[in-house]
Amino acid sequence: MFRGDSESEMTCRCRRRRPNSSPPPALEDDDLLAEILLRLPPQPSSLPRASLTCKRWRRLIRDPGFLRRFRAHHRSRGTAPVLGFFTKEDSGISFHPTLDPPNRVPPERFRLHITGSPFNCRIVCCRDGLVLLVNVHPGQVLVWDPVTGDQRRLLLPLVFRNYDKFYSGMVLRCPAAIGDGDHFRFQVVLVRCIKGRHARAVACVYSSDTRAWGDLIQISTPLLRALYVERPKSGALVGRSLCWLLCGKSTAILEFDLDRQNLAVIPSDLKGWIMSSEGGGLASVSLCAHTAQIWKREIGSNGVAKWMLTKTIHLDKLLPLSPGDRFFAHFAEENSMLVLGFSEGIFTVQTESMQIKKLPVNIKELPYVFIPFSSVYTAEMGVGAEHAGALAQ
Protein backbone atom coordinates (compact mmCIF):
# COMPACT_ATOMS: atom_id res chain seq x y z
CA MET A 1 0.00 0.00 0.00
CA PHE A 2 1.32 3.42 -0.94
CA ARG A 3 1.60 6.05 1.75
CA GLY A 4 -1.48 8.19 1.95
CA ASP A 5 -3.64 5.53 0.23
CA SER A 6 -6.56 4.26 2.20
CA GLU A 7 -7.68 0.64 1.92
CA SER A 8 -10.88 1.67 0.18
CA GLU A 9 -8.90 3.69 -2.43
CA MET A 10 -6.70 0.67 -3.15
CA THR A 11 -9.74 -1.54 -3.57
CA CYS A 12 -11.29 0.85 -6.10
CA ARG A 13 -7.99 1.09 -7.97
CA CYS A 14 -7.71 -2.73 -8.18
CA ARG A 15 -11.25 -2.99 -9.45
CA ARG A 16 -10.47 -0.51 -12.22
CA ARG A 17 -7.41 -2.51 -13.25
CA ARG A 18 -9.09 -5.91 -13.15
CA PRO A 19 -10.08 -7.01 -16.67
CA ASN A 20 -13.70 -7.85 -17.35
CA SER A 21 -13.59 -11.59 -17.99
CA SER A 22 -17.32 -12.08 -18.62
CA PRO A 23 -18.96 -11.22 -21.94
CA PRO A 24 -21.59 -8.46 -22.20
CA PRO A 25 -24.98 -9.65 -20.90
CA ALA A 26 -26.54 -9.45 -24.36
CA LEU A 27 -24.04 -11.95 -25.78
CA GLU A 28 -24.85 -14.49 -23.03
CA ASP A 29 -28.36 -14.86 -24.43
CA ASP A 30 -28.47 -17.10 -27.53
CA ASP A 31 -31.61 -15.40 -28.86
CA LEU A 32 -30.07 -11.94 -28.62
CA LEU A 33 -26.80 -13.16 -30.12
CA ALA A 34 -28.69 -14.70 -33.03
CA GLU A 35 -30.45 -11.36 -33.65
CA ILE A 36 -27.06 -9.65 -33.78
CA LEU A 37 -25.60 -12.24 -36.14
CA LEU A 38 -28.63 -11.92 -38.43
CA ARG A 39 -27.50 -8.38 -39.16
CA LEU A 40 -24.09 -9.34 -40.48
CA PRO A 41 -23.54 -8.31 -44.14
CA PRO A 42 -25.06 -10.88 -46.56
CA GLN A 43 -21.74 -11.58 -48.27
CA PRO A 44 -20.82 -15.27 -48.72
CA SER A 45 -17.80 -14.99 -46.38
CA SER A 46 -19.57 -13.19 -43.49
CA LEU A 47 -20.91 -16.19 -41.55
CA PRO A 48 -17.86 -18.47 -42.01
CA ARG A 49 -15.63 -15.71 -40.66
CA ALA A 50 -17.93 -15.06 -37.69
CA SER A 51 -18.10 -18.80 -36.94
CA LEU A 52 -14.36 -18.78 -36.19
CA THR A 53 -14.93 -16.57 -33.14
CA CYS A 54 -15.80 -19.42 -30.77
CA LYS A 55 -17.61 -22.75 -30.56
CA ARG A 56 -20.81 -21.11 -29.36
CA TRP A 57 -21.00 -18.75 -32.32
CA ARG A 58 -20.20 -21.61 -34.67
CA ARG A 59 -22.99 -23.71 -33.17
CA LEU A 60 -25.53 -20.91 -33.68
CA ILE A 61 -24.40 -20.15 -37.22
CA ARG A 62 -24.47 -23.81 -38.24
CA ASP A 63 -28.09 -24.21 -37.18
CA PRO A 64 -30.32 -24.77 -40.29
CA GLY A 65 -33.06 -22.58 -38.81
CA PHE A 66 -30.64 -19.69 -38.36
CA LEU A 67 -29.39 -20.02 -41.95
CA ARG A 68 -32.98 -19.83 -43.24
CA ARG A 69 -33.65 -16.77 -41.07
CA PHE A 70 -30.43 -15.12 -42.24
CA ARG A 71 -31.40 -15.50 -45.91
CA ALA A 72 -35.00 -14.45 -45.30
CA HIS A 73 -33.88 -11.39 -43.30
CA HIS A 74 -31.77 -10.02 -46.14
CA ARG A 75 -34.20 -11.00 -48.91
CA SER A 76 -37.02 -9.10 -47.18
CA ARG A 77 -34.82 -6.00 -47.02
CA GLY A 78 -33.63 -6.25 -50.60
CA THR A 79 -29.99 -6.50 -49.54
CA ALA A 80 -29.19 -9.87 -51.14
CA PRO A 81 -26.07 -9.35 -53.30
CA VAL A 82 -25.80 -10.16 -56.99
CA LEU A 83 -23.77 -13.38 -56.87
CA GLY A 84 -23.41 -13.67 -60.64
CA PHE A 85 -25.28 -14.23 -63.88
CA PHE A 86 -26.96 -17.17 -65.55
CA THR A 87 -26.56 -17.53 -69.31
CA LYS A 88 -28.11 -19.84 -71.87
CA GLU A 89 -25.39 -21.32 -74.05
CA ASP A 90 -25.06 -24.25 -76.44
CA SER A 91 -24.03 -26.51 -73.56
CA GLY A 92 -27.03 -25.52 -71.45
CA ILE A 93 -27.40 -23.22 -68.45
CA SER A 94 -24.15 -21.74 -67.11
CA PHE A 95 -23.39 -19.62 -64.02
CA HIS A 96 -20.81 -16.83 -64.13
CA PRO A 97 -19.75 -15.51 -60.68
CA THR A 98 -19.05 -11.78 -60.40
CA LEU A 99 -17.95 -11.22 -56.79
CA ASP A 100 -14.29 -10.94 -55.82
CA PRO A 101 -12.62 -13.46 -53.44
CA PRO A 102 -13.32 -14.46 -50.72
CA ASN A 103 -16.98 -13.93 -51.72
CA ARG A 104 -16.69 -15.43 -55.20
CA VAL A 105 -19.03 -18.40 -55.68
CA PRO A 106 -17.49 -21.34 -57.59
CA PRO A 107 -19.43 -21.83 -60.86
CA GLU A 108 -19.91 -25.54 -60.16
CA ARG A 109 -21.90 -24.70 -57.00
CA PHE A 110 -24.80 -23.48 -59.12
CA ARG A 111 -24.70 -26.11 -61.82
CA LEU A 112 -28.17 -27.28 -62.83
CA HIS A 113 -28.49 -31.04 -62.50
CA ILE A 114 -31.51 -32.33 -64.41
CA THR A 115 -32.33 -35.66 -65.99
CA GLY A 116 -33.90 -34.09 -69.07
CA SER A 117 -32.25 -32.27 -71.94
CA PRO A 118 -30.67 -28.99 -70.75
CA PHE A 119 -30.04 -27.80 -74.31
CA ASN A 120 -33.59 -26.67 -75.08
CA CYS A 121 -34.52 -25.24 -71.69
CA ARG A 122 -35.00 -21.50 -71.26
CA ILE A 123 -34.59 -19.24 -68.24
CA VAL A 124 -37.71 -17.15 -67.79
CA CYS A 125 -36.61 -15.15 -64.75
CA CYS A 126 -34.65 -15.06 -61.49
CA ARG A 127 -36.27 -13.51 -58.43
CA ASP A 128 -36.13 -13.91 -54.64
CA GLY A 129 -33.26 -16.39 -55.00
CA LEU A 130 -35.33 -18.67 -57.27
CA VAL A 131 -34.92 -19.51 -60.96
CA LEU A 132 -37.85 -20.27 -63.28
CA LEU A 133 -37.06 -22.42 -66.34
CA VAL A 134 -39.27 -23.82 -69.09
CA ASN A 135 -38.92 -26.65 -71.57
CA VAL A 136 -36.73 -28.75 -69.28
CA HIS A 137 -39.16 -31.52 -70.20
CA PRO A 138 -41.97 -31.13 -72.74
CA GLY A 139 -44.98 -29.56 -71.06
CA GLN A 140 -43.15 -28.75 -67.82
CA VAL A 141 -41.57 -25.81 -66.02
CA LEU A 142 -38.96 -26.02 -63.28
CA VAL A 143 -38.56 -23.90 -60.14
CA TRP A 144 -35.02 -24.13 -58.79
CA ASP A 145 -33.26 -22.74 -55.71
CA PRO A 146 -29.54 -22.84 -56.62
CA VAL A 147 -28.42 -22.19 -53.03
CA THR A 148 -30.24 -25.16 -51.45
CA GLY A 149 -30.54 -27.31 -54.59
CA ASP A 150 -34.31 -27.62 -54.17
CA GLN A 151 -36.27 -28.24 -57.38
CA ARG A 152 -39.95 -28.54 -58.21
CA ARG A 153 -41.28 -29.63 -61.62
CA LEU A 154 -44.69 -28.31 -62.62
CA LEU A 155 -46.93 -29.66 -65.37
CA LEU A 156 -48.06 -26.75 -67.53
CA PRO A 157 -51.75 -25.86 -67.94
CA LEU A 158 -53.02 -26.95 -71.36
CA VAL A 159 -53.22 -23.39 -72.72
CA PHE A 160 -49.44 -22.99 -72.25
CA ARG A 161 -48.28 -26.35 -73.57
CA ASN A 162 -46.40 -26.38 -76.89
CA TYR A 163 -46.28 -22.59 -76.87
CA ASP A 164 -42.84 -22.08 -75.33
CA LYS A 165 -42.02 -19.14 -77.63
CA PHE A 166 -45.20 -17.26 -76.86
CA TYR A 167 -45.46 -16.96 -73.10
CA SER A 168 -43.57 -15.51 -70.17
CA GLY A 169 -43.89 -15.62 -66.41
CA MET A 170 -42.44 -14.92 -63.03
CA VAL A 171 -41.64 -16.80 -59.82
CA LEU A 172 -42.15 -15.23 -56.39
CA ARG A 173 -41.07 -16.60 -53.04
CA CYS A 174 -43.98 -16.46 -50.62
CA PRO A 175 -43.50 -13.80 -47.89
CA ALA A 176 -45.09 -16.22 -45.41
CA ALA A 177 -42.01 -18.39 -45.79
CA ILE A 178 -39.94 -15.93 -43.74
CA GLY A 179 -39.26 -17.62 -40.41
CA ASP A 180 -41.31 -20.61 -41.52
CA GLY A 181 -40.03 -24.16 -41.36
CA ASP A 182 -40.92 -24.72 -45.02
CA HIS A 183 -38.44 -22.50 -46.87
CA PHE A 184 -39.40 -23.64 -50.39
CA ARG A 185 -42.76 -21.94 -50.82
CA PHE A 186 -43.51 -19.95 -53.94
CA GLN A 187 -45.94 -18.82 -56.60
CA VAL A 188 -45.51 -19.02 -60.38
CA VAL A 189 -47.47 -16.71 -62.67
CA LEU A 190 -47.55 -17.46 -66.41
CA VAL A 191 -48.98 -15.11 -69.05
CA ARG A 192 -49.48 -15.20 -72.82
CA CYS A 193 -51.44 -13.46 -75.53
CA ILE A 194 -53.74 -15.40 -77.84
CA LYS A 195 -54.34 -13.75 -81.20
CA GLY A 196 -57.40 -14.10 -83.37
CA ARG A 197 -60.83 -12.66 -83.76
CA HIS A 198 -61.37 -12.80 -80.01
CA ALA A 199 -57.85 -11.78 -78.99
CA ARG A 200 -57.20 -12.16 -75.30
CA ALA A 201 -54.49 -12.37 -72.66
CA VAL A 202 -54.49 -15.25 -70.19
CA ALA A 203 -52.76 -15.85 -66.88
CA CYS A 204 -52.53 -18.77 -64.51
CA VAL A 205 -51.09 -18.97 -60.99
CA TYR A 206 -49.43 -21.97 -59.34
CA SER A 207 -49.16 -22.16 -55.55
CA SER A 208 -46.71 -24.51 -53.87
CA ASP A 209 -49.06 -24.60 -50.87
CA THR A 210 -51.88 -26.23 -52.85
CA ARG A 211 -49.52 -27.86 -55.39
CA ALA A 212 -51.98 -26.93 -58.12
CA TRP A 213 -52.67 -24.31 -60.77
CA GLY A 214 -55.58 -21.95 -60.18
CA ASP A 215 -58.37 -21.07 -62.59
CA LEU A 216 -57.48 -19.45 -65.90
CA ILE A 217 -57.69 -15.64 -65.72
CA GLN A 218 -58.51 -13.83 -68.98
CA ILE A 219 -59.02 -10.39 -70.47
CA SER A 220 -60.23 -9.68 -74.00
CA THR A 221 -59.68 -6.49 -75.97
CA PRO A 222 -59.11 -5.65 -79.66
CA LEU A 223 -55.82 -4.04 -78.61
CA LEU A 224 -54.37 -7.55 -78.16
CA ARG A 225 -54.93 -8.67 -81.76
CA ALA A 226 -51.44 -7.63 -82.87
CA LEU A 227 -49.53 -7.84 -79.58
CA TYR A 228 -47.39 -10.46 -77.89
CA VAL A 229 -45.36 -10.72 -74.68
CA GLU A 230 -41.81 -9.62 -75.44
CA ARG A 231 -40.04 -12.69 -74.13
CA PRO A 232 -36.40 -11.58 -73.81
CA LYS A 233 -37.43 -8.73 -71.50
CA SER A 234 -38.68 -10.28 -68.28
CA GLY A 235 -41.52 -8.78 -66.30
CA ALA A 236 -41.36 -6.41 -63.37
CA LEU A 237 -42.83 -6.43 -59.87
CA VAL A 238 -44.44 -3.03 -59.28
CA GLY A 239 -46.02 -2.87 -55.85
CA ARG A 240 -48.39 -5.83 -55.77
CA SER A 241 -48.67 -6.13 -59.54
CA LEU A 242 -46.66 -7.99 -62.15
CA CYS A 243 -46.14 -6.16 -65.44
CA TRP A 244 -44.94 -7.28 -68.86
CA LEU A 245 -44.27 -5.30 -72.01
CA LEU A 246 -46.46 -6.21 -74.98
CA CYS A 247 -45.04 -5.52 -78.44
CA GLY A 248 -46.15 -5.76 -82.05
CA LYS A 249 -47.63 -3.08 -84.28
CA SER A 250 -47.90 -0.97 -81.11
CA THR A 251 -46.91 -1.40 -77.46
CA ALA A 252 -48.84 -1.86 -74.23
CA ILE A 253 -48.34 -3.14 -70.70
CA LEU A 254 -50.00 -6.29 -69.39
CA GLU A 255 -50.64 -5.98 -65.66
CA PHE A 256 -51.55 -8.81 -63.29
CA ASP A 257 -52.80 -7.80 -59.84
CA LEU A 258 -51.61 -10.38 -57.30
CA ASP A 259 -54.24 -9.45 -54.71
CA ARG A 260 -57.28 -9.10 -56.97
CA GLN A 261 -56.13 -11.89 -59.28
CA ASN A 262 -57.12 -10.02 -62.45
CA LEU A 263 -55.53 -8.74 -65.67
CA ALA A 264 -55.45 -5.27 -67.21
CA VAL A 265 -54.00 -3.89 -70.44
CA ILE A 266 -52.46 -0.41 -70.24
CA PRO A 267 -51.96 1.35 -73.60
CA SER A 268 -48.48 2.79 -73.88
CA ASP A 269 -45.95 3.92 -76.46
CA LEU A 270 -42.87 3.19 -74.35
CA LYS A 271 -39.92 1.17 -75.56
CA GLY A 272 -37.36 -0.48 -73.32
CA TRP A 273 -37.70 -2.30 -70.03
CA ILE A 274 -40.38 -2.02 -67.36
CA MET A 275 -39.27 -1.32 -63.80
CA SER A 276 -40.53 -0.06 -60.45
CA SER A 277 -39.71 3.60 -59.81
CA GLU A 278 -37.67 4.71 -56.80
CA GLY A 279 -40.72 6.14 -55.06
CA GLY A 280 -43.00 3.32 -56.20
CA GLY A 281 -45.17 3.11 -59.28
CA LEU A 282 -44.60 2.10 -62.87
CA ALA A 283 -41.46 3.24 -64.65
CA SER A 284 -39.30 2.26 -67.61
CA VAL A 285 -35.72 2.53 -68.81
CA SER A 286 -34.89 3.00 -72.48
CA LEU A 287 -31.65 3.33 -74.47
CA CYS A 288 -30.91 5.70 -77.31
CA ALA A 289 -27.34 5.59 -78.67
CA HIS A 290 -25.14 5.99 -75.56
CA THR A 291 -27.84 7.49 -73.36
CA ALA A 292 -30.22 5.80 -70.93
CA GLN A 293 -33.46 7.50 -69.91
CA ILE A 294 -35.67 6.72 -66.92
CA TRP A 295 -39.38 7.46 -67.36
CA LYS A 296 -42.10 7.37 -64.70
CA ARG A 297 -45.83 6.98 -65.28
CA GLU A 298 -47.75 9.64 -63.37
CA ILE A 299 -51.47 10.26 -63.10
CA GLY A 300 -52.43 13.92 -63.48
CA SER A 301 -55.19 15.75 -61.64
CA ASN A 302 -57.47 15.08 -64.62
CA GLY A 303 -56.95 11.34 -64.27
CA VAL A 304 -54.86 11.08 -67.45
CA ALA A 305 -51.61 9.14 -67.25
CA LYS A 306 -48.41 10.59 -68.70
CA TRP A 307 -44.84 9.35 -68.95
CA MET A 308 -42.45 11.86 -67.38
CA LEU A 309 -38.68 11.87 -67.91
CA THR A 310 -37.04 11.69 -64.47
CA LYS A 311 -33.39 10.89 -65.18
CA THR A 312 -30.93 10.88 -68.05
CA ILE A 313 -27.76 8.80 -67.81
CA HIS A 314 -24.94 9.64 -70.21
CA LEU A 315 -23.26 6.26 -70.48
CA ASP A 316 -20.34 7.55 -72.54
CA LYS A 317 -19.33 9.71 -69.55
CA LEU A 318 -19.39 6.74 -67.18
CA LEU A 319 -17.97 3.96 -69.35
CA PRO A 320 -15.01 3.72 -71.78
CA LEU A 321 -17.31 3.97 -74.79
CA SER A 322 -16.10 5.32 -78.12
CA PRO A 323 -18.48 7.18 -80.46
CA GLY A 324 -18.76 4.24 -82.85
CA ASP A 325 -19.07 1.49 -80.22
CA ARG A 326 -22.08 -0.77 -80.39
CA PHE A 327 -23.14 -2.74 -77.33
CA PHE A 328 -25.55 -5.39 -76.18
CA ALA A 329 -27.81 -4.47 -73.29
CA HIS A 330 -30.06 -6.11 -70.72
CA PHE A 331 -31.86 -4.65 -67.72
CA ALA A 332 -32.06 -6.45 -64.37
CA GLU A 333 -35.31 -5.12 -62.92
CA GLU A 334 -34.96 -6.71 -59.46
CA ASN A 335 -31.60 -4.96 -59.01
CA SER A 336 -32.34 -1.77 -61.02
CA MET A 337 -29.22 -2.51 -63.02
CA LEU A 338 -28.23 -2.08 -66.65
CA VAL A 339 -25.90 -4.73 -68.09
CA LEU A 340 -23.86 -3.49 -71.05
CA GLY A 341 -21.41 -5.50 -73.12
CA PHE A 342 -19.02 -3.99 -75.66
CA SER A 343 -15.40 -4.23 -76.78
CA GLU A 344 -13.98 -3.24 -73.37
CA GLY A 345 -15.91 -5.91 -71.48
CA ILE A 346 -19.20 -6.30 -69.64
CA PHE A 347 -20.24 -3.56 -67.22
CA THR A 348 -23.14 -3.00 -64.84
CA VAL A 349 -24.66 0.41 -64.05
CA GLN A 350 -26.98 0.83 -61.07
CA THR A 351 -29.65 3.26 -62.25
CA GLU A 352 -30.37 4.48 -58.70
CA SER A 353 -26.91 4.74 -57.07
CA MET A 354 -25.04 5.15 -60.40
CA GLN A 355 -22.50 2.59 -59.15
CA ILE A 356 -20.45 1.07 -61.97
CA LYS A 357 -18.65 -2.26 -62.03
CA LYS A 358 -16.74 -4.17 -64.65
CA LEU A 359 -17.64 -7.84 -64.40
CA PRO A 360 -14.80 -10.36 -64.09
CA VAL A 361 -16.33 -12.70 -66.65
CA ASN A 362 -14.67 -14.03 -69.76
CA ILE A 363 -17.45 -13.83 -72.33
CA LYS A 364 -16.59 -12.61 -75.82
CA GLU A 365 -20.14 -11.62 -76.63
CA LEU A 366 -23.07 -10.80 -74.39
CA PRO A 367 -25.43 -13.78 -74.69
CA TYR A 368 -29.06 -13.48 -75.70
CA VAL A 369 -29.97 -14.53 -72.16
CA PHE A 370 -27.88 -12.91 -69.43
CA ILE A 371 -29.83 -12.87 -66.17
CA PRO A 372 -28.43 -11.68 -62.83
CA PHE A 373 -28.95 -13.89 -59.81
CA SER A 374 -29.30 -12.36 -56.33
CA SER A 375 -29.39 -14.50 -53.22
CA VAL A 376 -27.80 -15.03 -49.82
CA TYR A 377 -25.20 -17.77 -50.13
CA THR A 378 -22.86 -18.92 -47.38
CA ALA A 379 -19.36 -19.93 -48.43
CA GLU A 380 -18.32 -23.46 -47.46
CA MET A 381 -21.98 -24.51 -47.67
CA GLY A 382 -22.45 -26.62 -50.78
CA VAL A 383 -25.71 -27.42 -52.50
CA GLY A 384 -27.95 -29.25 -50.08
CA ALA A 385 -25.68 -28.60 -47.07
CA GLU A 386 -28.46 -26.70 -45.33
CA HIS A 387 -30.45 -29.91 -45.11
CA ALA A 388 -27.47 -31.58 -43.46
CA GLY A 389 -27.67 -28.82 -40.88
CA ALA A 390 -24.08 -27.57 -40.94
CA LEU A 391 -21.44 -25.51 -42.54
CA ALA A 392 -18.32 -27.29 -43.70
CA GLN A 393 -16.22 -28.58 -40.84
Side-chain angles (χ1 to χ4, degrees), residues 40-352:
L40 286 172
Q43 300 299 323
S45 64
S46 294
L47 291 184
R49 285 179 171 181
S51 70
L52 299 177
T53 303
C54 62
K55 291 183 178 179
R56 178 165 163 261
W57 283 35
R58 187 171 180 81
R59 173 179 55 80
L60 282 173
I61 290 172
R62 289 175 55 175
D63 180 71
F66 173 81
L67 293 175
R68 287 194 292 270
R69 289 180 61 203
F70 184 77
R71 286 200 289 271
H73 173 82
H74 288 288
R75 284 197 204 103
S76 65
R77 283 157 178 78
T79 55
V82 178
L83 302 178
F85 291 78
F86 282 106
T87 64
K88 173 65 173 68
E89 301 170 13
D90 293 340
S91 58
I93 304 299
S94 300
F95 177 74
H96 303 271
T98 56
L99 295 179
D100 298 321
N103 294 310
R104 189 176 179 83
V105 180
E108 59 272 13
R109 290 294 191 189
F110 292 164
R111 184 170 295 156
L112 179 61
H113 298 282
I114 55 177
T115 57
S117 172
F119 308 108
N120 296 321
C121 65
R122 171 171 68 90
I123 303 176
V124 178
C125 77
C126 295
R127 179 174 287 279
D128 297 337
L130 299 176
V131 183
L132 177 64
L133 303 103
V134 300
N135 209 31
V136 175
H137 281 291
Q140 292 184 2
V141 295
L142 176 72
V143 178
W144 173 40
D145 186 333
V147 171
T148 65
D150 287 316
Q151 295 183 16
R152 181 79 56 83
R153 296 178 187 272
L154 315 176
L155 188 64
L156 284 168
L158 288 173
V159 71
F160 291 98
R161 294 183 196 175
N162 303 319
Y163 291 97
D164 172 60
K165 297 181 180 180
F166 302 102
Y167 68 84
S168 189
M170 196 176 296
V171 60
L172 301 167
R173 194 183 293 267
C174 294
I178 297 175
D180 199 298
D182 183 3
H183 58 278
F184 195 49
R185 297 174 59 195
F186 58 86
Q187 285 184 318
V188 173
V189 181
L190 297 180
V191 295
R192 66 167 290 214
C193 292
I194 301 176
K195 297 181 181 181
R197 183 178 178 183
H198 302 290
R200 64 191 190 278
V202 297
C204 202
V205 182
Y206 176 90
S207 170
S208 63
D209 290 340
T210 61
R211 292 180 175 265
W213 293 94
D215 295 332
L216 200 63
I217 300 163
Q218 304 186 58
I219 184 173
S220 180
T221 170
L223 187 65
L224 294 168
R225 289 177 182 173
L227 295 177
Y228 59 91
V229 179
E230 188 168 16
R231 197 183 70 182
K233 297 178 181 178
S234 58
L237 176 63
V238 181
R240 288 290 297 163
S241 293
L242 304 179
C243 299
W244 289 268
L245 184 64
L246 302 179
C247 295
K249 293 182 179 180
S250 60
T251 59
I253 296 172
L254 180 64
E255 179 185 21
F256 178 76
D257 190 308
L258 289 165
D259 296 325
R260 298 179 181 178
Q261 296 281 292
N262 61 15
L263 285 166
V265 178
I266 303 172
S268 171
D269 57 356
L270 70 85
K271 294 181 180 179
W273 295 270
I274 301 173
M275 60 183 289
S276 178
S277 65
E278 293 185 32
L282 192 60
S284 74
V285 56
S286 60
L287 292 177
C288 180
H290 292 172
T291 300
Q293 294 182 328
I294 309 296
W295 299 80
K296 183 177 180 181
R297 186 173 183 264
E298 295 184 352
I299 308 295
S301 56
N302 58 356
V304 178
K306 293 183 178 180
W307 288 93
M308 307 295 292
L309 180 63
T310 60
K311 182 185 290 187
T312 299
I313 305 172
H314 297 282
L315 299 173
D316 51 353
K317 295 182 179 180
L318 302 175
L319 303 173
L321 283 164
S322 300
D325 276 346
R326 299 181 63 185
F327 55 80
F328 299 90
H330 288 287
F331 182 71
E333 175 269 331
E334 186 180 12
N335 315 99
S336 298
M337 181 171 62
L338 275 169
V339 184
L340 305 169
F342 53 100
S343 58
E344 294 295 324
I346 299 177
F347 294 79
T348 61
V349 179
Q350 295 280 351
T351 58
E352 295 180 5

Side-chain angles (χ1 to χ4, degrees), residues 30-40 66 69 73:
D30 280 358
D31 292 336
L32 287 176
L33 177 57
E35 289 298 319
I36 294 172
L37 294 176
L38 279 177
R39 286 154 178 79
L40 286 172
F66 173 81
R69 289 180 61 203
H73 173 82

